[in-house]
Structure formats: structure tokens, C-alpha cells
Amino acid sequence: MTTDTRAGTERAGRFDPASYEQRWRDRWEADGLYRADDGDPRDKHYLLTMYPYPSGDLHIGHWYAATGPDIVARMRRMQGLNVMFPMGFDSFGLPAENAAIDRGVHPAEWTAANVERMRAQFRTMGCMFDWTREVVTSDPEYYRWTQWLFLQLFNAGLAYRAMAPVDWCPRDQVVLAREQVEGADRHCWRCGTPVVKRDLEQWFFRITNYADELLRFEGIDWPEPIRLMQTNWIGRSEGAEIHFPTEAEEVEPIRVFTTRPDTVFGATFLVLAPEHPAVSALTTGGRRADVEAYVASARRETEIERMNAEREKTGVFIGSYAVNPMSTERIPIWIADYVLPGYGTGAIMAVPAHDERDYEFAVKHDRPVRYVVLPRGGEAPQGQAFVAHTHDEVLVDSGEFSGMPAAEAIGAITQQLADLGLGGPAVSYKLRDWLVSRQRYWGAPIPIVYCDQHGAQPVPEDQLPVRLPPDVDFAPTGISPLQSHAAFLRASCPACGAEARRETDTMDTFVDSAWYFLRYCSPHDAERPWDPEAIRAWLPVDLYTGGAEHAVLHLMYARFMVKALRDLGHLAFDEPFLALRNQGQILGADHHRMSKSRGNVANPDELVERYGSDTVRLFLMFIGPWDQGGPWSASGIEGIHRFLGRVWGVASEPPGKGGPSADQLLGTAEELARALRRATHATIAEVSSDYGDFRFNTAISRMMELTNAIVRARESGLAGTEAYAEAVDTLLLLLAPAAPHIAEELWQRRGHPYSIHAQPWPVADPALAVAETIELPVQVDGKLRDRLVVTRDTPADEIEQMALASENVQRYLGGRSPQRVVQIPGRLVNVVTPGE
RNA sequence: GGGCGAGUGGCGGAACGGCAGACGCGCCGGCCUUAGGAGCCGGUGUCGCAAGACGUGCGAGUUCGAAUCUCGCCUCGCCCACCA
């Protein structure tokens, strides 16, 4: 049965989002509705979502990522918090420079145009971003402070310059941080080209100083997978350092790092990385030619070849011997490229019996395999290494330690080494210092000048920013375009005033993003990077959202930056982001990551034009769990549009008369009203907790159910009652964070004061939310056989009687009496039949 | 090779150890329409006329009761990967 809505529709106006969405956005903006004030007495809530790179157009993924936190921000605001929800642009970076090379547009121009376009597109989403706080990292007023930050780290010894073998992308002609090299084939994160090694003098940030603190996540609510990724990336290993004296007097003992000091009696040779500094001194005359050839070939190899574990293990004996400090055995020294120069001490003791790599090498090069740890009462395995996994191994052939459980021997041997002055406990990390130099133009210039007399000198703070000159040649040559800019290059030494040369590398854009959340607090402060008062008022960020792909990049760098700035006295907190939530990734329709080159980038503009932004927002939040993402498809968006149309109908049409309905035959108007109120208050509770938990899909389902209940109530003649008005108004309030425009429009049409977004969030009355009668499923042996409708307070024994009296239950019982009856109060009854 | 996560209708997905498939899409039928690619109403896991039986990747287990917990497989996704 449908009411005749035609007349009402004419009077109330058609559901036409285009007629009001832009109007409301303009008004919110003009009123500064979402501006976050520092002095607001309400509790602050800093909600942040990762700012985008201004690549050109906002795509569906940006909408997906931003809508979730916007919903939460809006709800928190209605719940009475002073919410700051800022947005900006991560606008330095390589694509701008490539555009300059490909199309002859200046990076600054290209970037500014993209920022402008994306800012406008962002506005059509109707998010509550406080645009008065916008930051653009390529703006000199921003990168001035990025440079200032570099100087603070430099002055504290946390930024240093070193010659190092670094990852080089031959296509982008730029070095990469270790975190920016991906995959088994060691390719560039940006363009996918396999990287090569180069020895370059580069700037690093000493993030390794913070390795241990970065492993601690106490007090922050972050997803387990992200914490795990960071933990694994930092890669802390506990073990021992062991010193192996050599026969060359002038050479220091070879230090090795091992996690298995209990196997030291099984060490039958040493292996040094080809780059190890002692190699040359330990190479004997007859071996020199072979050794030098091997070192040279290792140097030529790319990371890809070298890191390939499948490859046969190569290496050469260098002619010298060392002494195993525990067994006093004389063992040969080899070099092999499976030992990496950057990890541990760049040297290992090879224990073929207990390490698969050493085993493989020993077999190939005919070294002895000596088992020194075995399962209690077990035998040495044949033809393979024995890598202990249980806690039941004991040492054999290990001198005084023979017979000792391996777990115990680790400590005992380490202790004895320490007592002998030949080693001791040691910790090693996979984490390397953060390489921040980039041989590119479009980034913040590193504020350093080089003087022949005084070396690397920091640019005085009052001379910041070191500005990017606009007139440079962008051809990618592998050296910074700034190199060839004579005027930029020329500087005077801050120490002596002599002519000096300016650093021409720029900073990794991840430096920009490692502190942007601080700048939002006082984005226009021309005197300092931030106003300490504002920082005190807003930081740390209460809730941060973004993609999980930044787990070991941005998210780790930002933590490092905050900890470093804290230690320098600039900040008074330990962690930038108290809580973190990751959205899933929206893939292209072809199930691949969206990219311009694949041509699978979905653009929301057409959908917004056709359905309005509320529908697009809601649809994106409805397709599944927000943290899951998935391939893009617009099929189903009609359902959301119909839903909003129904909301429009129940909220704006005059009461329909309606005829008798099934509902009406079941109860009185009073009972129907009570049922509607119950639905209303249950929905408040569910939607509130769902929003808070980022479960937008189920929240929307609940609102659909409430809407359907309202539609039925109207057909039952309930329109015009208080319960009906409460249901509709509540629905609009719950919908306001997710679909801000239609909620505002209908709120006004119902005669309520502007703005719905300034209304208090509805609170569920638990007494109203519970049903007085419940339907209990009755099972026989766990299978559903009947249902009972009882009042909430029916005693258990009465329920049991009713269940046993059920015809169906009797049938399955077949005259026997039940073995037992399980009752879960308020949930179900299970009758267990006697077994045979 | 290591770590983490996920497998539920035709599809997206719901489901504190307790009625599997909420809510939507799609499809089928109907109403209203000059018309329907608009709107509304009803149906829709599979097999079966039905009563009913069977159903959450596969196989075991725990339990009165398992999509959910445990163990072993299979498949897919992500991260790391010669890290001593």
C-alpha cells in the first residue's frame, strides 16, 4: 500500500541534491562553521587524515579516505568536542619535476594549478575541513621551517653527511631511502625500475638512535599490522659480539655478531663482507689477485643480484686465519657477498651445522660441518643444517659447555666471552639511518654551505628560507639541477665570510610530511615553525587516518621527528599520533592499483554530478568495511540514492493517510509508537558505536532499517505523532555526519534552527531501546525447531516448560525425556535428547 | 623462505561461541504509467510439489551448540626477505 504522495511531493519539493548541496557548502564556509579555535573551552580533538600529493585530480580513493574520518570528526563535534580537522598538500616531489621535463611547465606552476583544482574538488565533498589552516609544503613559508628543522637536527648531531653505498634509481636519477626500495627485485617505489648501488656523499638523519624507542608502542592505539611492520623493519636482534683474533699483529680482532653464541664451537671459518675494512690487510700475497677480482665483481653487482638468496653462494679464501676464542681452533677467513656490509659488524662466524646459508657455503667450498647443538639424546641430521626450534637442545663437543641446554649456554658463553674481554652481549638492528638527500630540484634545499676552510656550515636561521631559484634547467642528469645554477651555488661561509658553495641537494619529501601536523596548529606564524601554546593546546593528534602503505615510511619518520624534537626541547610529548586507523585501498575495476598509466583511475565527478555528493559519500562508506577497500564498481549506488530519496520522503512529506496495514492489525497505535521509539533508540546506540569504530557500512544499514521502519509507521497512520517526529529528527541527526547536505536541508525544511551540524548528538535511552517481548529460538540438539515469544521477565523454568510443550520439540523428543535443557537467558533454549 | 590477514548466496557484504545470509545490488513477479532505464509493493542460499534435507574453502577436534575456538591442509592478498 502506498500513500498518494504526488500532491505532497509537489508541495515539499522534489529530492534534488543539486538544488541545495552547493548552497549549504557555501553557507558553512561563509559562516566558518568548522573553524577550530585555539581558545575554545571545550575538550580538544585533533583528527587528522593524511594530506595528498597534488597529482592532478581527486579520485575515488581520495573520497574514500577522507569521508570516513570526516564522519567521525562531525560526530565528535556534535558530541561536544572542539574538533580540528585540517587539510593541506604534500606538494614537493618528483612528478612535478617530471611534468616540467615532459611538458615544459615549471614545477611551481604545475603544482599550484593542481593544488587549486584539487582544493576545489575537495570542497565538493562537503568535508568539514578547516581550510583556514591549510598548509602547502612547497610554499617558502612552509619549507623555511623544514629547513629550520634540518638545522636543529644538524646542530644536535642528528643530521650528518657520509659517503655511503646508496640505492640509486637509474630512471628517476635520484637516491632512495632504504624504505623506498621495494620487493624482492629491489625496485624503486615510484617508477618500479630496479635500483643500483652507488657510492655517494649524502645527508642522513640518525633515526637509528631511536630504534629502541620506536619499538615501543605503549600508550598508542595503532593497528597490530602496522606495529608489526615497524617492528620487523627495525629488526632488533639480541645476541653476542665475539672477537676472533687474527695472526696479523697490526689488525684488530675480527668482530662478528651472532644470535647463536651457543654454536660458537661449531664455527669452522669466518666470512667477511667483501667491503669489510680488514680485508686488504688480511689478504696474503698469493691470494691477492683472486681476492681483488672478487671484491671488484661484488662492487659491480647490483643489489638485485646480490640479495638474491636463490643464487649460489660465492666467495674466496683470503689467506689469513683467525682463532676461535672459545675452542682456540685456528680457522680460515673468507670473503663472500652473502655477508652484507651494512648489518651487524659486516662479518660472521660461519657455523655450517646450524645455519642454512653457512651450510650451503661450506658444502660448496668444502669446509667442515661440525654439529655442536643436538636434540637431547638425538643424532646429527644428515646432509643439512640443524637449526634448533625447540627448547630441548643441548650442547655437544663444546668443551666445558657440553651437556648444557642450549638456551642456558647462550648466556653462559656470552658471559665468559665478556669475562675474557673477547666479546659480550650485543644487539643489532636492520634499521639504517634515514637517507634524506635528493639530487632533485623540487624539494626543500638543504640549508648547508661548504667552505674550504670550515667545511659544511649551517645556513644561519635568519637567512632562511634558502629559496629555490625559479630559472633552472630540469634535464635529468643525475646531479641536482641546482648544481648548474651559478647564482644559487654562490654563497659566503657563515663562519668566515669567504666564498663558499651551497649544497644543491634537496630534502626527501618525507621530511616535509614528518612535521606537517605540527604546522596546522599555527599555519600562518611567520616568526616560528609553530606557536608553542597552540602545540600544547592541540597535540598530540588524537586520531590519524591514512593508508597502511606508509607503515615504515611516513609513520615511522613522523615518530622519529617528534622524539628528536622532544629531546631537543621543542616538544613535550612522545608520540605524534595517539590512535591510528588505516583505510583499505580502492583498486581499479581491473583489481589493480589505480594509476594513470593503467588508465583505471575512477573519477567521482560524474557520479557527483548525477547523484550529488551525499550519495557518493554514503555509497563509498557502504560498500564494505572501511579498512578493507576493494575493487571499484559503481553498481549499487542506485540503492543508496533510493535510500536518500526515501529519507527525503519521510522527512519532507506531509503525513500520508494510509490504509490498514499488516502492522495495524497486530497492535494498537500506542504499541506501534512504542515499537518505533524502540527502533529509534536502538539505532542511536548502534550508529554511534559503529561510527566510532569506523564501521560505516553497518551504521548505514542500521539507518536504512530505521528509515524502512519509519516508512511502515507512516503507512500505519503514525505520521504526525510525537514518536514519528522523534524518529525522523533522530534519523537526520544520525545521518548528518555521513550525508551532511541532505541532513541540513531537511532539518531546515522541518523548521529546525540552523545548523544541524551544531546540534547535540542524540543519546539513546536504554530503557526505550529494549523490547519488552522477545522471540526465543528453540533448538533440539542445536538445530532450530521452534520459536517462543515471551516477555523479558519470564522465569527460566516457565520457558523450559513452554519449550518442552512445543509440538515440534515433542516430535523430535519422541516420547523420551530430555537429557538436559540448556538455556541462555534472553538468547535461546536448546533441548538435548538422550543419546542412544 | 619468514611474518600477518582473508576465504560466507549470482555480487558487495551482516552475524558478543547461540535463529547463517542483516542491509543493499542484481534478478523474478506485480502495481502505477502513452512510455519506463523513474517510483512503489512482494519474492529471491541450494535441492525438493511438499514435509523436509543440505549448507560459511577442505579435513579433523573441543562444545549442549562452531562461519566464529584449536590443530592440519588448500587458495588468495599484503609486508619482509642471504639481516647472521
Side-chain angles (χ1 to χ4, degrees):
Chain A
M1 158 72 232
T2 48
T3 52
D4 180 11
T5 57
R6 199 153 309 271
T9 305
E10 289 309 314
R11 236 175 301 146
R14 247 169 13 90
F15 168 46
D16 175 22
S19 70
Y20 57 81
E21 288 198 342
Q22 183 62 49
R23 178 161 47 81
W24 284 119
R25 286 195 294 266
D26 291 345
R27 173 138 185 218
W28 298 331
E29 177 99 31
D31 294 347
L33 190 62
Y34 306 122
R35 206 141 56 212
D37 287 327
D38 293 357
D40 196 303
R42 296 173 298 176
D43 287 343
K44 70 95 181 179
H45 190 76
Y46 186 175
L47 209 158
L48 182 65
T49 186
M50 292 179 187
Y51 64 174
Y53 178 78
S55 53
D57 278 298
L58 227 49
H59 59 72
I60 211 81
H62 292 113
W63 277 67
Y64 187 76
T67 304
D70 184 55
I71 290 171
V72 179
R74 288 172 172 280
M75 177 176 75
R76 295 294 178 227
R77 209 170 152 280
M78 292 172 79
Q79 287 173 333
L81 295 171
N82 179 29
V83 177
M84 172 160 76
F85 187 51
M87 182 46 76
F89 293 94
D90 186 17
S91 53
F92 268 140
L94 208 41
E97 208 164 328
N98 289 339
I101 294 161
D102 297 343
R103 276 173 276 167
V105 199
H106 194 278
E109 246 171 76
W110 186 84
T111 302
N114 285 355
V115 164
E116 201 174 324
R117 185 156 68 253
M118 288 174 75
R119 197 188 280 137
Q121 290 170 330
F122 257 128
R123 284 170 198 258
T124 67
M125 295 177 60
C127 285
M128 58 166 273
F129 295 127
D130 178 355
W131 286 104
T132 66
R133 293 176 180 269
E134 182 194 60
V135 304
V136 177
T137 59
S138 59
D139 187 331
E141 274 311 300
Y142 184 88
Y143 73 68
R144 166 183 186 178
W145 302 114
T146 307
Q147 293 171 336
W148 175 89
L149 212 129
F150 180 97
L151 294 179
Q152 307 313 304
L153 297 183
F154 176 82
N155 293 333
L158 290 171
Y160 66 94
R161 192 160 179 261
M163 176 67 85
V166 296
D167 295 303
W168 175 266
C169 174
R171 179 191 171 104
D172 287 342
Q173 294 281 314
V174 71
V175 298
L176 298 170
R178 227 169 75 87
E179 288 79 10
Q180 293 166 341
V181 180
E182 296 179 341
D185 63 344
R186 315 295 299 159
H187 61 258
C188 168
W189 70 312
R190 190 181 292 107
C191 67
T193 309
V195 301
V196 296
K197 277 291 178 198
R198 274 205 178 177
D199 280 316
L200 288 172
E201 185 97 37
Q202 299 287 291
W203 285 97
F204 294 85
F205 285 168
R206 225 178 272 283
I207 192 171
T208 52
N209 276 17
Y210 291 87
D212 276 319
E213 197 188 339
L214 288 169
L215 284 170
R216 291 201 297 273
F217 297 93
E218 289 95 40
I220 60 176
D221 169 20
W222 280 32
E224 179 69 16
I226 301 288
R227 301 203 313 251
L228 259 170
M229 273 190 253
Q230 288 200 0
T231 301
N232 292 338
W233 187 261
I234 293 165
R236 179 188 157 99
S237 292
E238 285 190 32
E241 194 171 291
I242 305 180
H243 301 173
F244 286 72
T246 64
E247 292 161 343
E249 296 264 313
E250 71 282 9
V251 179
E252 295 281 304
I254 302 297
R255 299 180 301 117
V256 308
F257 173 76
T258 178
T259 53
R260 295 290 307 276
D262 53 318
T263 64
V264 63
F265 287 86
T268 54
F269 54 106
L270 291 188
V271 185
L272 312 191
E275 298 85 348
H276 194 283
V279 169
S280 179
L282 290 172
T283 301
T284 56
R287 300 296 306 142
R288 189 158 299 275
D290 281 357
V291 170
E292 282 175 358
Y294 187 81
V295 171
S297 81
R299 283 207 59 75
R300 270 200 303 277
E301 267 168 9
T302 61
E303 276 281 280
I304 326 140
E305 291 157 355
R306 176 139 179 195
M307 302 285 274
N308 183 1
E310 308 295 310
R311 198 179 59 136
E312 284 225 333
K313 296 212 165 15
T314 60
V316 294
F317 174 51
I318 65 173
S320 288
Y321 291 81
V323 176
N324 184 327
M326 296 304 292
S327 68
T328 68
E329 186 183 4
R330 185 170 178 264
I331 59 176
I333 304 174
W334 289 62
I335 58 172
D337 64 9
Y338 81 92
V339 175
L340 305 172
Y343 183 76
T345 61
I348 63 157
M349 62 174 196
V351 185
H354 303 291
D355 182 284
E356 282 164 7
R357 296 153 300 181
D358 296 345
Y359 183 88
E360 192 192 325
F361 190 84
V363 167
K364 179 141 186 267
H365 298 95
D366 207 21
R367 297 300 314 154
V369 178
R370 188 172 307 144
Y371 293 89
V372 292
V373 176
L374 291 176
R376 193 178 292 278
E379 303 217 331
Q382 293 298 307
Q384 57 176 318
F386 173 63
V387 182
H389 288 301
T390 69
H391 292 290
D392 204 29
E393 290 81 26
V394 293
L395 269 60
V396 297
D397 294 334
S398 295
E400 60 184 287
F401 298 96
S402 298
M404 185 182 279
E408 193 182 319
I410 289 175
I413 289 176
T414 305
Q415 184 56 51
Q416 186 162 119
L417 286 164
D419 294 344
L420 295 169
L422 290 167
V427 176
S428 198
Y429 301 89
K430 292 186 202 173
L431 182 69
R432 313 290 172 80
D433 278 338
W434 174 13
L435 168 50
V436 297
S437 305
R438 295 293 180 272
Q439 294 68 44
R440 283 300 190 137
Y441 167 79
W442 195 234
I446 292 173
I448 292 287
V449 297
Y450 299 99
C451 169
D452 288 341
Q453 282 287 308
H454 299 93
Q457 287 291 320
V459 173
E461 288 180 18
D462 59 13
Q463 290 175 26
L464 298 182
V466 176
R467 283 177 187 273
L468 285 169
D471 51 331
V472 297
D473 176 11
F474 293 107
T477 58
I479 50 174
S480 170
L482 293 172
Q483 249 340 319
S484 51
H485 194 285
F488 179 83
L489 217 49
R490 203 178 316 117
S492 59
C493 172
C496 64
E499 192 166 313
R501 185 176 45 82
R502 202 176 283 288
E503 167 69 62
T504 55
D505 281 358
T506 54
M507 278 184 257
D508 183 2
T509 55
F510 281 102
V511 181
D512 307 331
S513 55
W515 76 281
Y516 78 112
F517 47 92
L518 302 174
R519 186 66 180 171
Y520 280 137
C521 296
S522 51
H524 310 297
D525 197 318
E527 305 300 315
R528 339 164 254 202
W530 53 76
D531 171 359
E533 275 303 314
I535 291 284
R536 241 193 310 283
W538 288 109
L539 269 290
V541 173
D542 294 280
L543 178 58
Y544 195 31
T545 71
E549 66 274 17
H550 287 110
V552 295
L553 289 158
H554 163 60
L555 288 169
M556 200 175 63
Y557 296 146
R559 293 182 69 210
F560 156 70
M561 194 60 80
V562 161
K563 291 171 192 300
L565 288 169
R566 173 204 60 197
D567 289 346
L568 299 180
H570 295 295
L571 298 174
F573 52 96
D574 300 318
E575 290 283 350
F577 316 122
L578 295 180
L580 177 70
R581 295 291 178 269
N582 298 118
Q583 78 269 6
Q585 211 169 49
I586 295 294
L587 304 172
D590 57 1
H591 293 231
H592 286 107
R593 201 194 193 118
M594 282 192 194
S595 71
K596 279 185 184 160
S597 56
R598 279 186 193 276
N600 63 351
V601 178
N603 188 305
D605 294 352
E606 210 177 291
L607 293 173
V608 173
E609 178 122 352
R610 184 134 136 232
Y611 299 104
S613 56
D614 281 340
T615 294
V616 174
R617 289 169 60 105
L618 228 43
F619 174 63
L620 284 168
M621 294 302 100
F622 185 65
I623 52 181
W626 187 72
D627 57 4
Q628 191 177 296
W632 167 248
S633 159
S635 91
I637 195 168
E638 295 283 353
I640 291 290
H641 198 62
R642 279 198 280 268
F643 161 59
L644 288 182
R646 263 200 304 282
V647 172
W648 184 272
V650 297
S652 69
E653 288 172 16
K657 288 193 195 75
S661 71
D663 281 346
Q664 246 174 340
L665 300 173
L666 287 174
T668 66
E670 209 172 300
E671 280 165 346
L672 289 169
R674 197 156 52 229
L676 183 59
R677 297 203 71 192
R678 181 162 61 245
T680 301
H681 283 262
T683 305
I684 294 172
E686 290 162 345
V687 171
S688 304
S689 69
D690 279 353
Y691 279 169
D693 294 338
F694 283 73
R695 292 196 309 256
F696 308 112
N697 57 331
T698 49
I700 293 166
S701 302
R702 299 287 94 90
M703 290 189 288
M704 287 172 167
E705 285 176 309
L706 179 59
T707 304
N708 294 342
I710 295 172
V711 169
R712 281 197 303 276
R714 186 182 59 188
E715 287 171 8
S716 308
L718 230 52
T721 65
E722 230 173 276
Y724 187 87
E726 179 196 38
V728 171
D729 287 341
T730 302
L731 175 64
L732 294 181
L733 289 165
L734 296 177
L735 195 57
H741 309 86
I742 190 175
E744 187 79 285
E745 176 71 15
L746 290 172
W747 188 254
Q748 188 197 46
R749 282 169 180 263
R750 291 176 64 75
H752 297 306
Y754 173 84
S755 155
I756 192 170
H757 303 296
Q759 300 304 311
W761 188 248
V763 176
D765 181 342
L768 284 172
V770 295
E772 54 266 36
T773 64
I774 47 178
E775 198 183 63
L776 280 185
V778 179
Q779 298 180 334
V780 176
D781 291 333
K783 288 193 195 302
L784 178 70
R785 297 305 180 193
D786 204 353
R787 292 160 197 283
L788 295 176
V789 176
V790 296
T791 59
R792 194 157 267 287
D793 53 3
T794 311
D797 53 346
E798 204 172 300
I799 290 174
E800 183 169 330
Q801 291 312 312
M802 292 167 74
L804 291 175
S806 151
E807 225 173 273
N808 267 349
V809 172
Q810 280 302 321
R811 186 144 53 86
Y812 284 95
L813 223 37
R816 299 165 298 178
S817 53
Q819 187 185 317
R820 59 185 286 208
V821 177
V822 180
Q823 221 184 114
I824 309 298
R827 305 235 27 134
L828 63 38
V829 184
N830 187 16
V831 178
V832 184
T833 61
E836 52 269 23

